[in-house]
Amino acid sequence: MKTMKGNMSKPASRGYGGVSRSRRQFLLRLLAGVGVGTLENQALAFGDSSKFTPAIAQHGGNWNARPNGLRRLCWEVSSRTSVEVFPQARAINLSDQALFHYPFLYFGGEGEFPAFSDREVANLRRWLTWGGFLLADANDGSVGDGFDACFRREVARILPQSPLSRLPQDHVIFKSFYLLDRQGGRLLVRPFLEHAKVGQRAAIVYSQNDLAGAWSRDLQGEWEFEVSPGGENQRETALRTGVNLVLYALCLDYKEDAVHLPFIMKRRR
Amino acid sequence: MESSIFNEWRWVSLSPFPWWALGLLGLALIAGFYWSAFSLKKQDGWRRGVLLGLRAASVLVLFLLLMEPGKRWMQVTKVKNRVIVLLDSSLSMGFSLAPGKQTRYQAAQQIIKSSESFWKELSTRFQVDFFIFDKNLQAINRNKIVETAPRGVMTDIANTFRQISSDSDSSRQKLAGIILFSDGADNKEWSKGLSAPDKEKLKEMNVPISVIALGEGRFKDLSVERIEGDDFAFVRNSMEIVATFRVVGFTKGSFPVALKREGQVVATRNLQVQKDGNIKVVFSFTPDRTGRFVYTVEAPVFENELIATNNSRSFTIHVIRDRVRVLMVVGRPSWDVRFLRGILKQDPNIDLISFFILRTANDDARVQSDGELSLIPFPVRDIFHDQLKTFDVVILQDFGWSNPTYPQMSQYVRGMKKYIEDGGALVMVGGKNSFGEGQYERTELQEALPVEPVGIPPGEESFIARLAKEGRRHPVMSMGLGEEESVRAWAQIPKMYGSHVVSAKPGAIVLLEHPFLTQGGKNVPVMAVGEYGRGRVLAIMTDSFWRLGFDSVALDSGFRLYDRFWNNAIRWLVRDPELTLVKVSVEKSILEPGEPVVARVSVHNPDYRPAPKVAIELDWVRSDGNQVVKQQTATANLEGIAQFQWTPLEPGPYRLVARAKKERRIIGLGENAFAVEAAGAELGNPWLQLDLLREIALATGGKLSDAKDISSIPLNDKETMQVGRIHDVPIWDHYAWLGVLAVALVLEWILRRRWGYA
């Protein structure tokens, strides 16, 4: 029996369209510098609808503090995994019904932000309940104030029955692609992630370590922020954490299936 | 008074006081008398005697006045109570008492005939009525009993007693007793003995039932007496049935017994014989197909056995799915994958096995070794060869088959086609790697798909898919009770983005179609289903189907449509019996020899409307030899229903295969199964049931007698007195008696005064 690594590849480009063309389009879009600040509601081509397409929550505070972070994560996901990515993340208001086009929502920010309106709370609750995944990221590394205080306040309104709690180290997020025993970020103010559940699913995952800060790379290819205290290893861990979060959003608890357990247990030893 | 019409009289009290009040009054009067006697105890001689005599006279007269005695004249009729004599006339009474001896029935006839003096004597005291019974009761003249023979195909003693009680309640005559001649081989309510409520009911009859037990157990015979187990099973799950064999007259040893499914052995066990009696054998087996099947427990037939036909017993088991095993193979993770997995994973009726390709050869995970990854080897052979048949449904989602990077996949294409042909189900869901780019058109699998590529690129425009005409009544698209509700629900689905351009093959049913993209003058199918061999295929030509499960939440049409669609689709794919186009039903699945079978075939069109006037062919197949023994044809009525009837001549397992045809083309198949027993219940267990007969006698205060002594049976009262008219004549309510009382009291008072007593 051969492993996927050695024997599986994306189908080669033949006939009409294909992966290579898609990859080319992706790179062209990246080079075009399409970022969250210039997002437009472009028409989707065949296959784009089901690709991983992140959305960015447009709240009342500094919601776009890491404009290049998510784009870089998309690139990493595309190059490291079989997941195809539509890199045009769309900034979206939390009360917008279009939120339901995007099952993955990045919620970042620096500093405080005003309370959500009741409509926003209701829309977000409905979105989370029916399958949405929200990655929250304190870009300011705040603890107990700033973004952290505001986000905790709003989560308590959105999911009052499911408070944020520490994500256990054996959660499937830590094995959805990479086997991780830690999580990175630009900072390490908290050595753990937190989550809020809807049923058995982690619907919200929250990092206080500014994951997107570690992911951010400018168009010249330079990392935008120093990572401390762990340096580049910590950045790589942050990228792997991001990849795992995307794979979790797309595959749910696939890696909890019984068929995977013997392999994972063996490698964990 | 017309004394001539009264033939009996008796003394009675006409007092309005109850007996207990009169008793207390009597005691009070006696106490008063003793008290007065005590007050005179110092007095001697005749004066004391006179005073006590007067007091006693007063007390006596007073008591009689209160008692109000009278003479009751009655018109009385005396009715004899009934004694019922019951003779079991079921087939089992035709067995010999012992090898070479007369039959049980003949023995009973002989006892009845030779006990002439007993019946005559009994008739002087009771009305004696004779009946023969099996499952029903039939009155018969005693002299005619010799002309009868045991022919009843069933023994139902409980029902016989019920009929007697009912008859007795409506009669003026009471039952004094029942004399039952039987072997006790009941095969209805009391086949397993008497329960506590049964005994209570027998007691409530308040009639002693005496039993003359007939039959002995010293034959050589092996029979399957009972089968215990569920009448349904889950496919691929082990189940057990318990067979009880009755062994009589065999020497110690062992011999094989088998459990067969329609002629094929599915389990064998050794029957260990130590002594006469019942032996339980547990058969374990694992049904591997769904449907209704006839199973038979069989033991070999030995020389000199009393009955050969009771060595086997058939029963049917309806094999159903407990959980549908779904294999989901995914070319790459996507939102379409995420929502389909979510819906399948949360369904408790689905056992989901998933394989996602998370990394391809072009991807660089930036790891030192694979130990840093959670990826597992892709078990191609395991999935597509070894385990394929264990799955009810295979979902290929955005999964390309023919690809030079993993050429070994192509060798399993034929196996996949065969899997569908043999009854498997395939779902192919869009994405670039399906249909066109998946290169399936170059493989044998294309033959099984309901659609084929037309060689042009996917349509990239967004669209709202439209429910196709054929999809309106299709169970996969059903969203409510009627067509209108489904049409309404599908009219509200959100926008989709792009679709493969394919054309539907002949015979395929298009469920959803593109609203404006056409090919060959027809709208391009977005979703289609088809059948290949015994299997089914669902093709979805877009990868934005997930939007029905998420976007529709925003549209307030909710998650229900997506959820319900996949539930419908899986049920249809695995041929949920409720969704088959042709249904065959039989009134009874196990029949007695000679019993006619009534089969009902109902047919629906592919859009699930009743199919009127279609031709239906019904094959009656001996399923142990797969031989068609009878063919019938009929035309369905306006409701798409036809009824068939036949009486199979040979015992054994049968399968009914119905084909519905329209213009000589088969539009659907349906099956069912039944068995004809080699021996009916009556001959299957003809043994003397002495315990049952004893319990009946004990519960009712009767007696279990042998054939030599039927004279000393217990019976209730010999006759009942029935009173017609009554006339009461009071004899103590005359004023003279008050005068007597007054005189006695006054005289006592005067004498006391004169003699100086207080």
Side-chain angles (χ1 to χ4, degrees):
Chain A
M1 190 178 299
K2 294 178 179 177
T3 65
M4 278 168 43
K5 183 185 176 186
N7 296 287
M8 310 283 284
S9 71
K10 290 176 183 172
S13 173
R14 62 168 72 189
Y16 41 84
V19 173
S20 296
R21 191 178 78 169
S22 169
R23 184 73 56 86
R24 199 179 308 126
Q25 285 171 344
F26 175 78
L27 290 170
L28 285 171
R29 280 168 182 155
L30 279 184
L31 289 171
V34 181
V36 292
T38 58
L39 288 177
E40 288 176 22
N41 189 12
Q42 291 194 356
L44 296 176
F46 179 71
D48 287 349
S49 156
S50 196
K51 287 178 182 173
F52 174 73
T53 313
I56 297 180
Q58 203 171 17
H59 53 75
N62 181 9
W63 57 272
N64 197 18
R66 302 285 179 263
N68 294 324
L70 209 54
R71 190 176 57 191
R72 183 67 200 180
L73 176 66
C74 287
W75 192 90
E76 295 290 348
V77 168
S78 176
S79 64
R80 295 179 187 219
T81 74
S82 64
V83 176
E84 290 199 341
V85 174
F86 187 78
Q88 284 183 295
R90 181 181 170 187
I92 197 157
N93 192 290
L94 296 176
S95 63
D96 195 336
Q97 295 293 288
L99 188 61
F100 287 89
H101 298 166
Y102 303 93
F104 184 99
L105 181 67
Y106 176 82
F107 190 104
E110 259 182 350
E112 295 180 355
F113 58 86
F116 297 160
S117 67
D118 288 346
R119 196 171 160 204
E120 286 174 324
V121 168
N123 199 42
L124 202 51
R125 182 185 298 134
R126 192 170 167 82
W127 180 85
L128 287 166
T129 303
W130 290 103
F133 177 82
L134 187 147
L135 170 62
D137 191 20
N139 300 136
D140 58 2
S142 54
V143 178
D145 59 0
F147 180 90
D148 180 51
C150 295
F151 182 70
R152 288 180 190 281
R153 179 192 69 210
E154 297 309 315
V155 169
R157 290 177 65 204
I158 299 162
L159 295 177
Q161 307 298 325
S162 181
L164 283 168
S165 63
R166 188 169 174 159
L167 189 69
Q169 202 57 44
D170 59 355
H171 195 275
V172 70
I173 284 175
F174 294 111
K175 56 192 174 193
S176 59
F177 189 80
Y178 291 103
L179 294 172
L180 297 176
D181 54 6
R182 71 198 74 172
Q183 47 88 42
R186 182 176 60 84
L187 306 164
L188 271 184
V189 296
R190 282 276 192 262
F192 52 81
L193 296 171
E194 289 179 85
H195 73 315
K197 294 199 292 187
V198 171
Q200 293 303 307
R201 178 173 57 88
I204 297 175
V205 172
Y206 177 39
S207 166
Q208 289 177 252
N209 297 329
D210 187 17
L211 281 169
W215 302 336
S216 292
R217 200 167 193 173
D218 61 24
L219 290 176
Q220 285 71 45
E222 299 296 325
W223 296 111
E224 289 186 79
F225 301 97
E226 289 292 322
V227 171
S228 67
E232 290 312 304
N233 283 343
Q234 187 175 315
R235 190 190 303 279
E236 174 61 19
T237 306
L239 285 165
R240 291 185 179 190
T241 304
V243 170
N244 274 19
L245 287 165
V246 171
L247 266 293
Y248 176 72
L250 287 166
C251 304
L252 300 175
D253 55 353
Y254 166 59
K255 284 291 171 187
E256 291 274 271
D257 285 1
V259 68
H260 300 279
L261 295 179
F263 293 93
I264 291 172
M265 295 287 281
K266 192 176 170 187
R267 289 176 188 174
R268 285 259 193 224
R269 276 192 214 120
Chain B
M1 183 183 72
E2 299 173 53
S3 58
S4 58
I5 63 170
F6 297 104
N7 53 3
E8 292 259 349
W9 68 269
R10 68 166 70 148
W11 293 112
V12 292
S13 168
L14 302 175
S15 169
F17 299 113
W19 279 105
W20 61 266
L22 291 172
L24 286 175
L25 198 62
L27 288 173
L29 290 171
I30 291 166
F33 175 76
Y34 271 103
W35 179 78
S36 60
F38 182 76
S39 66
L40 292 170
K41 70 177 183 183
K42 292 178 183 170
Q43 307 303 321
D44 293 325
W46 63 272
R47 287 184 179 176
R48 180 169 177 262
V50 169
L51 290 174
L52 281 178
L54 287 168
R55 179 60 59 91
S58 302
V59 166
L60 188 62
V61 172
L62 184 60
F63 185 69
L64 288 173
L65 281 172
L66 292 168
M67 282 281 288
E68 294 185 39
K71 194 173 185 181
R72 172 166 291 170
W73 288 95
M74 298 178 293
Q75 185 188 33
V76 170
T77 310
K78 288 180 181 172
V79 180
K80 282 182 182 176
N81 287 344
R82 289 173 87 197
V83 172
I84 302 278
V85 182
L86 292 172
L87 173 58
D88 183 347
S89 63
S90 63
L91 282 171
S92 63
M93 289 289 283
F95 288 103
S96 301
L97 279 173
K101 286 192 177 179
Q102 60 186 160
T103 66
R104 299 167 186 175
Y105 200 73
Q106 287 167 340
Q109 286 171 316
Q110 191 180 9
I111 296 164
I112 292 169
K113 192 178 176 187
S114 63
S115 306
E116 189 73 26
S117 57
F118 171 70
W119 303 123
K120 274 191 177 167
E121 188 279 325
L122 204 62
S123 301
T124 60
R125 296 181 287 140
F126 301 95
Q127 178 182 320
V128 185
D129 294 326
F130 285 81
F131 292 87
I132 57 173
F133 76 96
D134 39 54
K135 60 181 176 182
N136 289 312
L137 196 61
Q138 184 190 337
I140 192 164
N141 186 298
R142 179 162 59 90
N143 298 324
K144 296 282 185 188
I145 284 177
V146 288
E147 298 170 18
T148 60
R151 293 203 178 92
V153 294
M154 193 173 284
T155 308
D156 190 350
I157 301 175
N159 187 47
T160 302
F161 287 160
R162 269 198 297 275
Q163 289 183 51
I164 288 172
S165 291
S166 164
D167 183 44
S168 176
D169 288 346
S170 59
S171 160
R172 292 172 62 204
Q173 290 169 287
K174 280 186 178 176
L175 276 179
I178 296 173
I179 303 170
L180 170 67
F181 290 84
S182 176
D183 55 13
D186 191 286
N187 36 52
K188 285 295 282 182
E189 288 173 51
W190 291 351
S191 60
K192 291 179 182 175
L194 292 185
S195 65
D198 292 334
K199 289 178 186 171
E200 272 310 305
K201 282 181 187 166
L202 280 171
K203 271 183 196 168
E204 284 168 12
M205 284 176 70
N206 199 24
V207 181
I209 301 174
S210 297
V211 182
I212 289 83
L214 298 157
E216 292 178 43
R218 291 200 292 270
F219 292 104
K220 180 179 181 181
D221 192 63
L222 170 64
S223 63
V224 185
E225 190 168 80
R226 202 163 45 243
I227 305 285
E228 292 163 281
D230 293 327
D231 57 1
F232 69 95
F234 296 114
V235 69
R236 290 187 292 272
N237 281 250
S238 175
M239 78 169 295
E240 289 183 346
I241 62 119
V242 181
T244 303
F245 292 87
R246 186 181 174 94
V247 185
V248 181
F250 280 78
T251 51
K252 277 187 184 179
S254 72
F255 46 83
V257 289
L259 173 67
K260 293 181 176 177
R261 186 187 69 188
E262 300 184 347
Q264 288 187 321
V265 176
V266 293
T268 55
R269 293 291 306 275
N270 263 339
L271 194 67
Q272 302 284 345
V273 178
Q274 298 290 331
K275 56 180 183 179
D276 288 358
N278 287 356
I279 304 171
K280 286 192 172 183
V281 174
V282 179
F283 289 98
S284 295
F285 61 104
T286 306
D288 59 355
R289 279 196 288 150
T290 56
R292 186 179 290 280
F293 299 98
V294 175
Y295 286 79
T296 307
V297 172
E298 270 185 21
V301 178
F302 293 90
E303 205 176 339
N304 299 327
E305 267 198 74
L306 178 64
I307 311 167
T309 52
N310 64 2
N311 287 37
S312 67
R313 188 174 281 253
S314 295
F315 56 100
T316 58
I317 296 181
H318 189 199
V319 183
I320 56 176
R321 288 183 176 80
D322 58 341
R323 301 180 80 192
V324 178
R325 268 173 66 85
V326 176
L327 170 66
M328 187 178 180
V329 182
V330 169
R332 63 155 197 262
S334 67
W335 293 127
D336 211 28
V337 171
R338 179 253 177 265
F339 283 93
L340 179 53
R341 177 179 164 83
I343 208 93
L344 297 176
K345 195 74 181 173
Q346 75 182 23
D347 189 335
N349 298 314
I350 289 177
D351 190 8
L352 180 68
I353 312 293
S354 312
F355 287 97
F356 294 1
I357 295 173
L358 299 183
R359 185 178 60 151
T360 67
N362 292 340
D363 298 317
D364 179 9
R366 319 239 167 86
V367 288
Q368 303 284 329
S369 75
D370 280 355
E372 295 172 47
L373 299 167
S374 65
L375 309 186
I376 65 166
F378 187 51
V380 182
R381 186 177 167 80
D382 279 0
I383 295 172
F384 294 112
H385 185 269
D386 300 346
Q387 300 294 322
L388 188 61
K389 284 187 178 174
T390 68
F391 295 104
D392 300 303
V393 180
V394 175
I395 299 173
L396 300 180
Q397 192 162 17
D398 202 6
F399 182 79
W401 193 286
S402 179
N403 191 299
T405 311
Y406 34 97
Q408 77 274 28
M409 303 291 271
S410 58
Q411 63 189 284
Y412 301 114
V413 170
R414 185 171 296 171
M416 177 63 88
K417 190 186 84 168
K418 182 83 170 45
Y419 159 78
I420 302 165
E421 202 170 8
D422 291 347
L426 173 71
V427 179
M428 191 177 281
V429 190
K432 286 184 183 173
N433 294 329
S434 308
F435 305 102
E437 286 202 14
Q439 305 275 310
Y440 290 99
E441 75 275 16
R442 297 183 183 182
T443 72
E444 292 182 59
L445 191 61
Q446 177 61 45
E447 208 177 297
L449 297 177
V451 293
E452 52 196 354
V454 293
I456 59 173
E460 300 208 334
E461 299 88 341
S462 60
F463 64 95
I464 294 178
R466 201 166 60 191
L467 186 61
K469 193 179 173 188
E470 283 181 301
R472 290 182 178 186
R473 287 187 67 102
H474 199 279
V476 169
M477 309 306 275
S478 171
M479 290 297 144
L481 290 176
E483 189 179 327
E484 291 74 24
E485 210 168 326
S486 298
V487 171
R488 204 178 308 121
W490 285 99
Q492 296 173 26
I493 60 174
K495 200 185 279 185
M496 295 185 195
Y497 296 87
S499 170
H500 285 287
V501 181
V502 295
S503 63
K505 285 184 184 175
I509 297 173
V510 178
L511 303 177
L512 278 182
E513 61 189 12
H514 203 287
F516 51 81
L517 208 58
T518 59
Q519 182 65 32
K522 290 182 179 173
N523 289 72
V524 168
V526 176
M527 184 196 298
V529 290
E531 305 213 1
Y532 182 72
R534 288 167 43 213
R536 289 181 164 176
V537 182
L538 165 68
I540 300 175
M541 271 63 73
T542 177
D543 64 351
S544 47
F545 204 68
W546 65 275
R547 290 182 175 271
L548 272 68
F550 199 53
D551 265 17
S552 57
V553 179
L555 295 173
D556 279 338
S557 48
F559 204 60
R560 197 182 68 91
L561 185 135
Y562 187 71
D563 191 358
R564 184 151 181 176
F565 163 79
W566 279 110
N567 187 282
N568 289 345
I570 298 292
R571 285 178 62 203
W572 180 82
L573 286 161
V574 299
R575 291 182 183 274
D576 186 318
E578 291 301 309
L579 300 181
T580 55
L581 294 177
V582 178
K583 287 177 190 163
V584 183
S585 56
V586 286
E587 283 182 353
K588 286 173 76 178
S589 56
I590 301 294
L591 294 106
E592 298 272 334
E595 204 175 344
V597 186
V598 178
R600 188 171 177 270
V601 180
S602 62
V603 186
H604 290 82
N605 282 315
D607 61 2
Y608 285 82
R609 283 179 302 177
K613 306 287 183 192
V614 294
I616 299 171
E617 293 175 357
L618 185 69
D619 289 352
W620 303 72
V621 183
R622 269 300 293 249
S623 42
D624 47 358
N626 213 24
Q627 186 187 3
V628 178
V629 289
K630 174 108 182 140
Q631 282 189 310
Q632 291 177 317
T633 56
T635 304
N637 63 16
L638 290 175
E639 282 80 43
I641 294 168
Q643 194 154 301
F644 298 83
Q645 183 169 328
W646 185 53
T647 306
L649 300 174
E650 296 292 326
Y654 288 82
R655 180 157 288 279
L656 288 165
V657 182
R659 287 180 300 279
K661 285 185 172 177
K662 213 173 193 177
E663 295 161 2
R664 296 187 177 180
R665 188 172 61 86
I666 295 176
I667 61 168
L669 294 169
E671 291 192 1
N672 208 329
F674 69 91
V676 179
E677 288 281 33
E682 184 62 31
L683 292 182
N685 185 12
W687 306 104
L688 168 66
Q689 301 295 332
L690 200 56
D691 289 344
L692 171 67
L693 297 174
R694 185 181 290 114
E695 282 180 333
I696 292 171
L698 278 175
T700 57
K703 185 180 169 187
L704 181 69
S705 305
D706 59 23
K708 293 168 192 164
D709 179 22
I710 61 167
S711 57
S712 57
I713 53 171
L715 296 167
N716 285 345
D717 299 337
K718 62 181 181 180
E719 58 189 21
T720 304
M721 209 163 65
Q722 292 186 339
V723 179
R725 297 175 64 181
I726 290 173
H727 180 73
D728 291 330
V729 180
I731 55 173
W732 298 99
D733 65 346
H734 200 279
Y735 285 111
W737 293 104
L738 282 174
V740 170
L741 178 63
V743 167
L745 290 172
V746 169
L747 192 59
E748 185 189 348
W749 180 77
I750 292 169
L751 290 174
R752 278 179 173 262
R753 296 280 295 179
R754 179 160 296 215
W755 293 337
Y757 300 143

